[in-house]
Every structure is written in C-alpha cells, then in structure tokens.
Amino acid sequence: MLNDVTFVVIGRNEASNLPRCFNSILKVSENIIFVDSDSDDNSISIAQKYNIKTILKRKANYSTATLSRSIGAKEVQTKYIQFVDGDMTIEQSWVEKAINRLESNNKIAVVHGYKKVFTKN
C-alpha cells in the first residue's frame, strides 16, 4: 500500500532540517522526490547523501511553495502524493491512516493531518 505513495519534499535552504525530514519519510518509504528552490546551502548534497533518487533543482524569478509542489507532482507515477515541506516530518502511522481514509470513501480526494511546528528549543 505504501508503494502507492510518493513523497514530494520541497525546500529552500533547509539543510538544517532535511535530515530530520528525510529520516522520518524513509521509515515508511524510499519513494521521495526532492524539489530544491535554488538553495545556496548544501540542501542538494544532503538529499544525495540520503540517496534521494529524484532531485530537481528549480530556479525561478519568484519562489513559491505551490510552484515547487507542482514541479514535483509532474514527476509522480503513484496513485497518491504526500506533500512535505523540508522543515516537516511524517509520523509513521499517518500515511497508512490517510490511505485507509481515502480508500474507504470515494468522495474524499484529500486528507490532511496535524501540523506541529518545530522550534529552536
């Protein structure tokens, strides 16, 4: 079932957060696309260190999360997409619960979870 999900991770200068993000996703899937928004830190090399198979570097005159998600979504070949910002993590149980909810009701197209913000402390 988790093979039906691609995780599209977006970020710009998220080097300090990407290890936590990638580690959380890799507990449930290796199917990750990373869309980097022209970072000037080592975000790309971190994604390479985590063996992220699809790394897209986007350069644009303006930067929006929506554009990065759209670029990543075009590469997805699975039934489901889970969008994740580079400063977020995924709870292991979340993905299975989300898929079960989507599969149980054909009138549902999107599910979302709780967002917990990480702070420096």
Side-chain angles (χ1 to χ4, degrees):
M1 184 175 355
L2 295 183
N3 293 331
D4 284 343
V5 181
T6 298
F7 294 82
V8 174
V9 178
I10 64 166
R12 183 169 194 275
N13 295 328
E14 292 289 353
S16 63
N17 295 311
L18 286 174
R20 181 177 60 228
C21 177
F22 291 146
N23 279 323
S24 75
I25 297 169
L26 288 168
K27 290 177 183 175
V28 295
S29 176
E30 293 181 357
N31 198 6
I32 302 170
I33 295 172
F34 175 55
V35 182
D36 181 80
S37 295
D38 201 25
S39 293
D40 53 18
D41 65 5
N42 63 336
S43 292
I44 296 287
S45 63
I46 290 171
Q48 292 168 335
K49 177 184 169 192
Y50 280 86
N51 295 316
I52 305 305
K53 293 174 181 62
T54 304
I55 300 171
L56 306 170
K57 185 161 180 142
R58 176 182 76 71
K59 189 169 188 126
N61 292 333
Y62 55 91
S63 178
T64 68
T66 304
L67 179 59
S68 295
R69 289 184 188 109
S70 179
I71 289 168
K74 288 180 181 178
E75 301 295 319
V76 172
Q77 297 180 12
T78 56
K79 184 174 181 179
Y80 299 111
I81 302 171
Q82 172 68 61
F83 293 111
V84 183
D85 291 356
D87 62 349
M88 295 178 167
T89 60
I90 293 290
E91 289 290 327
Q92 283 183 277
S93 62
W94 158 251
V95 181
E96 192 169 341
K97 288 178 184 176
I99 291 172
N100 287 338
R101 185 68 175 134
L102 287 165
E103 295 285 333
S104 70
N105 186 334
N106 63 4
K107 293 182 179 183
I108 297 174
V110 176
V111 293
H112 65 87
Y114 172 74
K115 180 180 175 183
K116 178 180 178 182
V117 178
F118 290 98
T119 63
K120 291 181 181 181
N121 295 328

